[in-house]
Amino acid sequence: MIDSLNPEQQSAVTLPAQHALVLAGAGSGKTRVLTTRMAWLIQTHQASPYGLMAVTFTNKSAREMLTRLTALLPINARGMWVGTFHGLCNRLLRAHYRDAGLPQTFQILDSADQLAAIKRLIKGAGIDDDKFPPRDVQRFINGAKEEGQRPGDVDAWDAYRRRLVEIYGLYQAQCEREGVVDFAELLLRAYELLQRNAPIREHYQRRFRHILVDEFQDTNSLQYRWLTLLAAGGACIFAVGDDDQSIYAFRGANVGNMADFERDYARGNVIRLEQNYRSYGHILDSANALIAHNAARLGKNLWTEQGEGEPVRVIEQPSDQLEAQWIIDEIRALIHDGSERREIAVLYRSNAQSRIIEHGLFSAGIPYKVYGGLRFFERQEVKHALAYLRLMDNPHDDTSWLRVVNFPARGIGARTLEQLSDAARQQDFSLFRAVPFVAGKGGANLARFADLVQQMAHEAQVLSLPELIEHVIHHSGLLSHYQADRDGAERLENLRELVNAAAAFVAEENFEGLPAGRIPEWAIDLSPALDRSPAAATPDPVASSGAVAQTPAVAPGDSAENGFPGVSMSPLAAFLAHASLEAGDNQAQAGQDAVQLMTVHAAKGLEFDAVFITGVEDGLFPHENSLLEAAGLEEERRLMYVAITRARARLYLTLAQSRMLHGQTRYALRSRFLDEIPDEHLKWLTPKAGRTSVRENTWSGAFRRGDAYNRPDSGSVAPREPRYQTSGVVVGDKQFRIGTGVRHAKFGEGTVIALSGTGEDAQARIQFREAGTKTLALGIARLDIVA
DNA sequence: TACACCCAAATTTTT
DNA sequence: TTTGGGTGTA
């Protein structure tokens, strides 16, 4: 099992039972080490499969882990605590919903649901949504939760923040009332549960002897605390991560957790995996050289036995159009030479860049796949169907109620809903309960809808889950609505797919033959098991309430001690949780061999034979919004590091001198990151121009690639005298570039962060230190250039 | 209730 | 330039 590993991997896998930090570089076999470690612990009887917990961030990597584990060892991975932070917390909360203060049928809001709930709250409470945009409120609430803060814990130093805290409190109350939890709440609740409930905490602390964490650099503060709390009973945390691949700080990820973990837990017990099995030398050395410019890092240097390979190709084109065209020509050549399309990836910093490349590929008739955008369970028709299903499980879920109360249209307009929510607010009822308080025609329509919901809830006790969904699609009117719709065919197709997904889910989770709304008898509630333990000194209402699975029988081979994934959940509830926690595939056209298009973020964890990194320009990559703080620039650099290390054999960096952005042509310098990679690793297919010179905005003709590709290393596109110089705008006697410092009489000092237009018509976006960001016409505004 | 129109905003987004 | 959301009109 471990013979095929390199010495560092072996020592990581066979580390003694202590906390350890594995710094695993890109392509160093991180997942392999993690799964082999698990298998090794089990095989050497240092842990039972049930004494292990493995935590990841994505469902995909959790699945991958289980697949590899079962390939290594003949064990039944079902029931093992391998999953995402959110998935495991969900499991914990389902098992102990009473102790966590949640209703048994609590439902999970995804980001969109949460936003809808916040919007509704802001409207209902009469809060000014110009001053408190729902998105900002959402970010505030999630940010607080990710720091482990309840409304009372948040530091509110001014009136604005005090109001935000108030809204947070209102939101929380609304969630409680409706029996829903958002993503961050799953984590925070689970954390608080463990923290406050000693018997439960000690139970899990005793149970899990080894906790393995993947992508540790992406953990947020709350996740870190959750992990260390679970491990406080003597468990060992085996944390695997790469600080150089931390690219989610903007979502609350705290790279500092790695350094903290090393200092506080894994002191001296750090292993570096630096041998890379993915890329050739020039690619790796480029990545190494680039990332060396970051100050805040633990330090690591990738190497390979594969040889240096080809240099990294760099191409500069006058416009984004030509950049795209060049890429498409090159892709065509690669395919012609036998490359598989799926082994070619085009990466970009922001989604807006994909359009022009898609256009080119489409015109060229090259199949491609775009990652990103809507996922299966996020599609409107699927969400509608799910909303009906949720109402079946919990009719007091106002978010779902409002989503479908009048979809398809059933004569319940804004006025009626106004009356309904007034009544609900007055009585402190859910919308469902408030229905009888609305009179008139609208009230009658509401009553009919409420009946429909109850009727369908009744069916849930009889029909299997797929049957129920079919029933819902039919009787809700979704079916006829989309049938009548001109382009409803695809939506119907997705609804059909939803039924299939449910059927697959039922089979997978052993729910076959069970009515959708019934909790299976083999489901185990962990709370009674805990009560039997002597540690549960305090009387627990759980034992007597009896609202649990009627027969807390133990499935063969399982024990209450081991727990079970589907704790106390009906197929319906389990499927709804599944739909929230795993939004499904994130790619447009599935299937055939196609060129892969995605953002750099989306590419993390993937690898390709050939990679194009596009838009390698200052202001775009690194993104202008990140330039203002050092930490931002370092994250951009890590992002570039991630991008580079996706390539196995061939890497292209492409850039355009001008680019259509927001309907305006903007000019940019090549990315500063290009200048951080030594020339010896780069091969400029177009001449490398000086970075500081100023160019006239007239193109002396587009550079074409020629057939550089077919003679890749011949140097046939030898550097000539640059025909043009790069970037910047000249107005009068002044030269403006991105990064130029300026002073304005009224706004004070600032920095140019974007330029557009030419000559007297040129405009500059300037980030002023005091006055914020302004767009100024350079021909009009009086600007002095400062050092 | 549906559609047309206008305006503002436009990194990245594992759950 | 494109997109989404909000408002106004048939």
Side-chain angles (χ1 to χ4, degrees):
Chain A
M1 181 160 71
I2 61 172
D3 294 343
S4 57
L5 301 177
N6 72 35
E8 291 73 34
Q9 291 173 330
Q10 281 189 23
S11 58
V13 165
T14 59
L15 275 174
Q18 327 162 14
H19 298 302
L21 177 63
V22 178
L23 278 177
S28 64
K30 152 184 86 97
T31 311
R32 184 151 179 231
V33 164
L34 212 94
T35 46
T36 314
R37 166 85 176 170
M38 283 199 274
W40 181 79
L41 286 170
I42 294 168
Q43 200 174 45
T44 57
H45 303 290
Q46 297 183 63
S48 89
Y50 299 107
L52 287 180
M53 172 185 279
V55 200
T56 65
F57 277 86
T58 65
N59 293 296
K60 195 175 152 205
S61 54
R63 273 194 303 270
E64 163 90 7
M65 210 176 274
L66 280 177
T67 310
R68 292 217 205 175
L69 184 61
T70 45
L72 287 171
L73 281 182
I75 54 167
N76 176 9
R78 272 186 67 90
M80 279 188 72
W81 282 60
V82 175
T84 63
F85 279 100
H86 294 84
L88 297 181
C89 286
N90 176 50
R91 195 184 286 187
L92 207 55
L93 294 175
R94 297 287 172 188
H96 307 287
Y97 62 93
R98 280 192 223 83
D99 296 291
L102 290 170
Q104 182 169 17
T105 59
F106 76 84
Q107 280 165 22
I108 302 166
L109 303 182
D110 66 21
S111 306
D113 298 331
Q114 184 190 30
L115 187 62
I118 291 171
K119 278 184 183 163
R120 181 157 48 83
L121 173 85
I122 285 180
K123 267 223 174 75
I127 296 163
D128 180 1
D129 60 354
D130 282 330
K131 262 180 105 179
F132 297 95
R135 288 207 173 273
D136 292 2
V137 172
Q138 184 180 31
R139 191 165 334 119
F140 174 83
I141 292 173
N142 290 338
K145 288 186 178 185
E146 281 159 13
E147 291 295 322
Q149 295 172 331
R150 292 300 182 184
D153 308 321
V154 181
D155 199 9
W157 56 78
D158 59 19
Y160 183 74
R161 270 181 80 87
R162 272 196 295 280
R163 189 76 175 126
L164 277 174
V165 170
E166 252 177 78
I167 300 173
Y168 178 10
L170 290 174
Y171 168 76
Q172 209 51 41
Q174 175 176 293
C175 289
E176 298 269 338
R177 195 165 53 242
E178 297 174 9
V180 295
V181 299
D182 56 54
F183 285 145
E185 186 71 20
L186 282 173
L187 293 167
L188 184 50
R189 278 282 170 141
Y191 175 75
E192 289 171 346
L193 172 73
L194 293 175
Q195 194 186 41
R196 290 175 189 163
N197 190 314
I200 292 178
R201 179 177 64 245
E202 285 157 12
H203 169 84
Y204 287 103
Q205 285 177 338
R206 270 196 305 274
R207 172 175 168 174
F208 297 118
R209 307 315 301 157
H210 292 272
I211 299 173
L212 301 95
V213 193
D214 193 16
E215 305 281 16
F216 191 69
Q217 77 281 356
D218 289 338
T219 50
N220 63 33
S221 305
L222 182 57
Q223 286 160 339
Y224 184 75
R225 282 157 61 185
W226 186 82
L227 287 168
T228 50
L229 178 61
L230 259 181
C236 307
I237 297 178
F238 186 83
V240 181
D242 181 358
D243 54 327
D244 291 333
Q245 290 190 71
S246 164
I247 55 173
Y248 284 109
F250 71 96
R251 284 177 98 250
N254 176 22
V255 211
N257 286 346
M258 293 194 83
D260 288 354
F261 181 70
E262 179 182 0
R263 190 189 60 227
D264 299 337
Y265 294 90
R267 181 169 293 235
N269 211 12
V270 179
I271 289 185
R272 284 181 164 71
L273 303 181
E274 298 178 296
Q275 181 173 2
N276 174 290
Y277 296 93
R278 180 183 298 157
S279 315
Y280 283 96
H282 278 311
I283 293 172
L284 279 190
D285 290 342
S286 299
N288 283 331
L290 176 82
I291 204 66
H293 286 79
N294 270 6
R297 59 191 294 255
L298 299 174
K300 207 167 10 62
N301 214 43
L302 298 180
W303 59 278
T304 178
E305 285 177 346
Q306 290 199 79
E308 65 176 15
E310 302 174 352
V312 176
R313 291 162 166 78
V314 188
I315 302 90
E316 180 169 4
Q317 290 288 341
S319 70
D320 51 350
Q321 286 278 348
L322 290 162
E323 179 198 32
Q325 197 48 56
W326 191 91
I327 291 168
I328 276 111
D329 290 346
E330 189 69 11
I331 288 175
R332 205 187 271 128
L334 286 170
I335 294 170
H336 179 260
D337 287 5
S339 292
E340 283 188 278
R341 286 188 286 261
R342 68 167 65 90
E343 283 301 337
I344 302 171
V346 182
L347 309 185
Y348 33 82
R349 176 65 182 78
S350 72
N351 286 304
Q353 290 168 254
S354 78
R355 166 174 294 272
I356 191 165
I357 295 164
E358 282 188 67
H359 180 81
L361 285 168
F362 185 82
S363 308
I366 301 171
Y368 63 90
K369 226 188 266 187
V370 186
Y371 288 74
L374 275 194
R375 301 153 73 168
F376 182 71
F377 285 111
E378 293 168 352
R379 293 173 184 284
Q380 78 144 287
E381 62 276 20
V382 175
K383 291 217 88 165
H384 283 320
L386 290 173
Y388 282 102
L389 292 170
R390 285 184 177 195
L391 286 176
M392 244 150 271
D393 210 37
N394 170 16
H396 308 294
D397 176 354
D398 287 353
T399 300
S400 299
W401 174 277
L402 285 173
R403 183 175 190 102
V404 292
V405 67
N406 198 36
F407 191 94
R410 40 176 79 88
I412 299 171
R415 300 178 312 284
T416 308
L417 287 176
E418 190 76 23
Q419 288 174 275
L420 181 66
S421 31
D422 282 350
R425 220 182 344 262
Q426 236 164 53
Q427 312 278 339
D428 198 25
F429 278 179
S430 68
L431 297 175
F432 174 71
R433 276 187 76 191
V435 167
F437 294 83
V438 180
K441 187 149 150 265
N445 288 337
L446 278 174
R448 200 158 339 113
F449 178 68
D451 281 348
L452 175 69
V453 168
Q454 279 181 309
Q455 185 55 248
M456 293 196 300
H458 184 72
E459 298 295 339
Q461 297 307 313
V462 187
L463 301 175
S464 75
L465 183 64
E467 288 166 346
L468 178 68
I469 296 178
E470 206 137 12
H471 179 89
V472 164
I473 292 170
H474 192 88
H475 293 272
S476 63
L478 286 175
L479 182 68
S480 36
H481 177 268
Y482 286 124
Q483 274 170 345
D485 196 51
R486 275 183 271 110
D487 27 40
E490 193 183 334
R491 300 200 187 277
L492 284 173
E493 187 53 42
N494 287 326
L495 288 175
R496 176 120 320 273
E497 194 48 45
L498 181 65
V499 176
N500 293 339
F505 180 79
V506 162
E508 174 80 13
E509 302 292 321
N510 289 338
F511 282 132
E512 271 142 326
L514 207 67
R518 171 98 53 81
I519 296 170
E521 293 187 353
W522 45 258
I524 296 163
D525 191 307
L526 288 182
S527 311
L530 282 176
D531 283 339
R532 273 183 250 115
S533 80
T538 43
D540 190 332
V542 165
S544 48
S545 78
V548 214
Q550 287 69 10
T551 324
V554 174
D558 253 320
S559 73
E561 186 62 22
N562 296 328
F564 199 83
V567 210
S568 301
M569 290 179 81
S570 66
L572 174 59
F575 184 67
L576 289 171
H578 168 80
S580 295
L581 290 173
E582 182 160 12
D585 264 347
N586 199 201
Q587 64 195 56
Q589 314 84 341
Q592 17 86 322
D593 185 24
V595 174
Q596 316 276 306
L597 268 58
M598 65 192 85
T599 63
V600 178
H601 282 91
K604 191 175 136 204
L606 306 178
E607 56 183 90
F608 310 91
D609 287 343
V611 169
F612 294 82
I613 304 175
T614 67
V616 185
E617 299 141 31
D618 249 33
L620 187 59
F621 202 173
H623 197 276
E624 61 191 37
N625 293 2
S626 324
L627 292 177
L628 301 167
E629 341 155 32
L633 185 62
E634 295 217 340
E635 176 140 325
E636 294 289 304
R637 196 176 277 113
R638 292 192 292 268
L639 198 51
M640 181 60 86
Y641 176 82
V642 167
I644 292 173
T645 52
R646 298 309 95 198
R648 293 198 193 96
R650 181 170 290 199
L651 176 62
Y652 300 87
L653 305 179
T654 73
L655 58 145
Q657 293 162 348
S658 72
R659 184 176 293 280
M660 194 61 120
L661 203 59
H662 311 330
Q664 283 190 314
T665 306
R666 308 220 300 176
Y667 302 93
L669 294 170
R670 69 162 174 268
S671 172
R672 63 194 69 190
F673 296 154
L674 263 175
D675 294 313
E676 294 173 356
I677 301 173
D679 281 331
E680 57 186 294
H681 304 306
L682 302 180
K683 176 183 164 69
W684 284 78
L685 299 187
T686 48
K688 177 183 180 183
R691 189 161 189 273
T692 50
S693 50
V694 176
R695 150 183 60 75
E696 296 268 328
N697 181 39
T698 47
W699 311 115
S700 44
F703 263 104
R704 296 310 331 266
R705 172 178 56 83
D707 55 357
Y709 169 69
N710 295 320
R711 287 169 279 134
D713 288 311
S714 64
S716 63
V717 194
R720 299 168 252 186
E721 276 306 299
R723 282 201 210 160
Y724 47 78
Q725 302 171 301
T726 43
S727 208
V729 169
V730 183
V731 180
D733 58 347
K734 301 194 184 82
Q735 301 171 0
F736 295 91
R737 298 185 298 117
I738 289 172
T740 300
V742 296
R743 185 184 296 112
H744 183 275
K746 192 155 137 221
F747 302 137
E749 292 196 2
T751 310
V752 175
I753 57 176
L755 287 164
S756 63
T758 56
E760 298 297 309
D761 296 331
Q763 294 188 323
R765 219 141 76 74
I766 298 165
Q767 170 80 41
F768 289 102
R769 264 184 235 160
E770 308 287 328
T773 307
K774 309 274 179 205
T775 302
L776 301 177
L778 293 176
I780 298 167
R782 297 247 170 135
L783 289 168
D784 293 324
I785 293 185
V786 300

